[in-house]
Every structure is written in C-alpha cells, then in structure tokens.
Amino acid sequence: MTHLVFFCGHAGTGKTTLARKLFGALMKASGSPFCLLDKDTLFGGYSAAAIAMLTGNPNDRDSPLFLQHLRDPEYRGLLDTARDNLALGVSAVVVGPLSREVRERRLFDRAWLGIGAEVKLRVVWVHTSEETARQRIVERANPNDAYKLAHWDEYRQRRFMPSGALCDDLLMFDNSAPTPADYQDLLARIVDEPYAAPTMMPPVPV
C-alpha cells in the first residue's frame, strides 16, 4: 500500500518543517519508501521567473495576477508528480498551502486527485495563531513573503481555520509549541497506529 500525505496550512505555520521532522519516522512506521514534494522547491524558481516577466517582481507570489494565472498550474504539477511516484510504488508527502483545496474538500476527492482506493490518503492541516504566523514570516525573511507582509490586511482575509464539516477526516495539528508527544500522536494518526501504544511507533526526532 502506498500513502499520500498532505501537509497544508497558511504561510508561517511551519508545515514544511513539520513534514521534514516526521519524514523519517513516517517511512519507518509505514514500511514504505517516500518522496517529499514541496511546492516551493519544485516550482518556486520557475514561477519566480514567470511572474518577473509579467510584473518585473520575481517575489510577487501572492499578487492577484499570480493567483489567477500561476497558482493552479503549480498545484497541478505537484499532484501530477505525486501520482507518478505513487504509480511506481513510492509514497508521497506533499507540502503546500492548498487552502482552497481544503476549503472545497478536493483533497478528499479521489477522482479529483486521480488516485485509487489502494492509496492511503491523509490530510494534515497545520495551524498557529495569526500573530505567531506573521512573526515567523518576518523572522525567516524570505523575499517570497514580501507581498504578504506589504498587503497583510488583504492576505489575512484568505486565512481561515477549518471547522465543522470541513474537519471531517482532516488531521488538525497546532504547531505553535508542539511537544514530543504531539508529534508522536500525529504520526500515529497518519499511519493509523494506536497512540495508546506509543512504543510501537518509531521515535520522532526532537
């Protein structure tokens, strides 16, 4: 059985750091080889060049122009790459905001994803407070975040916290100040091992 695991959430929530932290333990717990597919790693350079040709600013990654013309092709390429790996028997950890896809429940639609019932599907929503996320964005000083910070009031309107039916099957993870036990619990939920027996799970590096 292969696994498709999404780590989603708004900027500054630490989803990439979390995915990398759990990666080795996830392979051991599942017994499956994995690849890590981060949207910014795969498409960041290309999209920066494309948006620079359109606007003159390679860091214009949250502008309406980018969101209208380049966002969806990035995600299609991300999912296409995941499917190629799954077809070869390699599980995939996919990292990206994917907030629209979570809001519209597309990540639980196997037909939309193009995967069969043999793939174990998990979607993790990584979250922190707006204040914590903004502080982390400022501290990491990534040029790609310049538009967000310059238009924060506009950007924050796209932030949301899943609730109600949106949380069905969604693995919520508060990444504000997680403990080793929190990491172990999330790992157990991803691979469907009972957290009541944590000794059965490989330790997550701290």
Side-chain angles (χ1 to χ4, degrees):
M1 173 180 288
T2 51
H3 301 250
L4 177 57
V5 184
F6 290 97
F7 284 84
C8 311
H10 299 299
T13 55
K15 53 190 175 293
T16 300
T17 300
L18 177 62
R20 291 178 180 273
K21 189 176 192 66
L22 295 181
F23 191 81
L26 181 57
M27 285 198 295
K28 292 179 182 178
S30 65
S32 174
F34 270 80
C35 65
L36 176 64
L37 305 176
D38 185 294
K39 182 179 76 71
D40 287 340
T41 302
L42 284 173
F43 299 107
Y46 176 83
S47 293
I51 198 68
M53 290 183 65
L54 294 172
T55 69
N57 181 1
N59 303 316
D60 208 10
R61 300 289 302 279
D62 284 276
S63 66
L65 186 65
F66 179 90
L67 295 175
Q68 181 178 355
H69 295 288
L70 295 176
R71 177 197 185 275
D72 289 349
E74 280 193 349
Y75 283 127
R76 284 197 297 271
L78 192 64
L79 295 176
D80 288 345
T81 306
R83 280 194 299 271
D84 281 350
N85 279 275
L86 292 169
L88 295 172
V90 179
S91 297
V93 166
V94 177
V95 182
L98 289 155
S99 54
R100 184 188 306 168
E101 288 73 16
V102 168
R103 191 193 295 269
E104 297 174 357
R105 299 282 298 175
R106 289 182 179 180
L107 297 188
F108 297 98
D109 184 342
R110 290 177 178 269
W112 186 82
L113 291 171
I115 61 172
E118 75 282 358
V119 177
K120 181 177 283 189
L121 175 63
R122 295 291 180 269
V123 183
V124 181
W125 180 262
V126 187
H127 61 91
T128 65
S129 69
E130 179 183 333
E131 293 75 16
T132 297
R134 192 178 192 283
Q135 180 181 353
R136 290 177 179 176
I137 292 172
V138 170
E139 290 175 351
R140 70 190 184 189
N142 187 327
N144 289 338
D145 294 322
Y147 190 95
K148 292 185 186 71
L149 294 174
H151 304 82
W152 188 259
D153 286 341
E154 172 191 320
Y155 168 72
R156 68 192 299 270
Q157 299 304 314
R158 306 207 309 267
R159 289 179 51 90
F160 74 100
M161 176 67 81
S163 61
L166 283 181
C167 292
D168 291 349
D169 301 318
L170 194 63
L171 304 183
M172 304 291 290
F173 187 80
D174 186 345
N175 204 25
S176 301
T179 66
D182 293 328
Y183 293 126
Q184 286 294 125
D185 176 48
L186 177 59
L187 178 63
R189 287 189 290 158
I190 291 173
V191 298
D192 280 344
E193 292 290 342
Y195 184 55
T199 55
M200 299 295 291
M201 302 296 295
V204 177
V206 295

